[in-house]
Amino acid sequence: MLLSPDDPPPFQTVNSDRKGRLVLVCEHAGIEVPAQLGNLGLQPEDFAKHIALDIGAAGVARRLAQRLDAPLVLQPYSRLVVDCNRSYEAPDCFPETSDTILIPGNLHLPEAARRRRYEEIHNVFHAEIDRLLDGQPDPKRAILVNIHSFTPRLLANNIYRPWEIGLLFNRDDHYARRLMNALRSLRPEVKAAFNQPYQGGDETDYSIPVHGERRGIEHVLIEIRNDLIASKIGQEEWADLLAVAIERTLEKEARP
């Protein structure tokens, strides 16, 4: 076993008993590392960087769950242990480098070590998402909303990313477009784009293809630039904006 009784559980659930249409997910919420893995060969300051977690995303997700009275699942383990928004086969599911930074504890990982991380953390986390989606009053009408953040500038290419928010999708853009319309009606000047700074896809995502597309439910992955949500004030501002936008998508659908 990888996880000991002293390690945190592989998911945290907020509002687990809420029933409605929305299920919120934050795959890169924390910086925990199983005790057995030490610090992965990194310095403590590395775990405050975007390579280890999505800065500010957990705060936005928790505020959203509060505002929308919706269930939320967060992943407390660092994405450097196992990326819970990647498939097992994805090259960066167990990254050996991240934005030019070497991850010594992930170099030449044996298959058995990869499997332990994936089965004990990734699979258990996604089983909780399945449980919440299955438990909604009408699972076919559930809406999956994933909360992420992105760094304004990558060390790898030093190119500035000007967007404030990106709405990502893969094959199905239906809900992303409805949410974008609601966002722009609330804040016309917002620097928003579809599939920026990343393109949704089978290799670059897990929750959208598996929980969204395979179930045939509405879904979106939201990326917010992390300098905008590094503080609690920024997290509250963006969560409140998104809460109103999401509520508008539900209101419009309910109109005859």
Side-chain angles (χ1 to χ4, degrees), residues 112-124:
R114 291 171 176 257
R115 282 290 174 195
R116 278 196 295 273
R117 296 190 195 184
Y118 199 82
E119 290 173 2
E120 295 185 36
I121 299 174
H122 188 290
N123 285 355
V124 178

Side-chain angles (χ1 to χ4, degrees), residues 8-251:
F11 63 83
Q12 296 173 355
T13 305
V14 176
N15 294 340
S16 63
D17 59 341
R18 300 301 194 272
K19 305 295 182 183
R21 293 191 61 193
L22 295 167
V23 173
L24 308 178
V25 176
C26 189
E27 292 97 333
H28 303 148
I31 59 172
E32 297 287 351
V33 178
Q36 193 177 130
L37 303 182
N39 61 3
L40 295 173
L42 296 170
Q43 297 302 312
E45 57 266 26
D46 291 323
F47 287 95
K49 299 174 182 176
H50 74 95
I51 65 167
L53 81 164
D54 280 0
I55 295 167
V60 172
R62 289 181 181 276
R63 175 79 170 187
L64 259 182
Q66 179 186 36
R67 281 289 310 268
L68 298 170
D69 198 29
L72 162 67
V73 190
L74 305 106
Q75 176 51 255
Y77 285 98
S78 172
R79 64 193 304 170
L80 300 178
V81 176
V82 55
D83 193 324
C84 283
N85 199 35
R86 296 293 187 275
S87 67
Y88 184 79
E89 297 78 18
D92 52 351
C93 188
F94 313 94
E96 295 188 352
T97 62
S98 183
D99 198 16
T100 75
I101 297 175
L102 186 71
I103 318 300
N106 288 352
L107 295 176
H108 314 299
L109 274 182
E111 181 74 10
R114 291 171 176 257
R115 282 290 174 195
R116 278 196 295 273
R117 296 190 195 184
Y118 199 82
E119 290 173 2
E120 295 185 36
I121 299 174
H122 188 290
N123 285 355
V124 178
F125 174 73
H126 285 283
E128 175 67 359
I129 299 173
D130 279 329
R131 184 188 72 81
L132 289 176
L133 287 168
D134 289 339
Q136 298 313 301
D138 186 351
K140 285 297 183 183
R141 297 189 70 244
I143 300 175
L144 177 71
V145 178
N146 297 69
I147 306 298
H148 291 250
S149 72
F150 65 95
T151 184
R153 195 184 300 272
L154 288 168
L155 296 174
N157 56 28
N158 200 33
I159 295 174
Y160 182 68
R161 299 150 129 189
W163 309 281
E164 294 176 310
I165 187 169
L167 303 185
L168 277 59
F169 56 85
N170 186 18
R171 298 172 182 86
D172 180 0
D173 64 354
H174 180 69
Y175 189 73
R177 293 194 181 279
R178 289 205 291 126
L179 183 58
M180 183 69 82
N181 289 338
L183 269 176
R184 286 179 171 156
S185 72
L186 292 165
R187 188 178 289 184
E189 75 281 9
V190 68
K191 295 177 182 176
F194 293 115
N195 282 334
Q196 293 290 356
Y198 306 107
Q199 170 73 45
D202 294 334
E203 292 187 359
T204 55
D205 289 309
Y206 185 90
S207 292
I208 281 179
V210 171
H211 299 295
E213 292 179 341
R214 289 185 192 174
R215 285 174 173 267
I217 61 173
E218 292 188 307
H219 54 269
V220 67
L221 189 152
I222 299 173
E223 289 272 4
I224 307 170
R225 207 175 69 213
N226 67 23
D227 60 321
L228 301 175
I229 56 173
S231 70
K232 185 176 181 181
I233 292 174
Q235 292 162 19
E236 291 179 351
E237 176 189 347
W238 280 90
D240 291 348
L241 174 65
L242 284 168
V244 176
I246 290 170
E247 286 169 345
R248 286 196 176 186
T249 66
L250 300 177
E251 289 169 2

